Amino acid sequence: MDWSNTTWWWIAVGMLVAAELVTGTFYLLMLAIGTAAGGLASYAGFSFTGQLLSAALIGGGAVVAWHLYRRRQPAAAPAAANHDMNLDIGGHVHVTAWAPDGSARVSYRGAGWDARHAGAGQPAPGDFVIVRVDGNQLVLERSPV
């Protein structure tokens, strides 16, 4: 069986996509796009040098574009304060009394939770928002509403 350059390019695309799925490295997907460009160039009849240039320019350009896009995005919040990781962030609780050490016991989602105030000083009882979860302790700030 005699395989053409196009077939080898598409095998390389499949291997890069499989590697991306295993590792979760999105940059490999950008390289797979470049490799697909090399396969399309081969199918269009470009010389092997033209195929390599197409793959390098498209794949390299995609990697650079993705890198620049990611660099412009804001940094993700730490896991303890990230609403995407913990759906309790942003939840509302009512504190009836604070202990002198800045801790309180609150009812949230039908259970009792230990809580502490995120700010300085002694907070007053009232409505608070969960800004972070440290283990099994809610960290609260005064509700803006």
Side-chain angles (χ1 to χ4, degrees), residues 5-6 11-12 17 23 37 41 44 47 53-54 62 94 102 110 112 114 120 137-138:
N5 279 349
T6 306
I11 289 172
V17 169
T23 64
S47 67
L53 282 173
S54 298
H94 182 77
D114 291 327
Q137 188 177 57
L138 304 176

Side-chain angles (χ1 to χ4, degrees), residues 17-86:
V17 169
E20 191 279 330
L21 290 172
V22 170
T23 64
T25 306
F26 198 72
Y27 290 101
L28 287 175
L29 196 55
M30 300 296 105
L31 293 178
I33 290 171
T35 309
L40 291 174
S42 175
Y43 184 73
F46 285 36
S47 67
F48 189 67
T49 303
Q51 296 168 30
L52 286 175
L53 282 173
S54 298
L57 290 175
I58 299 296
V63 167
V64 168
W66 181 251
H67 178 74
L68 293 174
Y69 171 77
R70 293 277 299 169
R71 197 169 64 176
R72 287 190 201 124
Q73 299 304 311
N82 190 339
H83 179 67
D84 294 332
M85 299 283 229
N86 190 333

Side-chain angles (χ1 to χ4, degrees), residues 122-134:
Q122 184 66 18
D127 292 325
F128 287 80
V129 175
I130 301 169
V131 293
R132 192 171 66 245
V133 178
D134 289 338

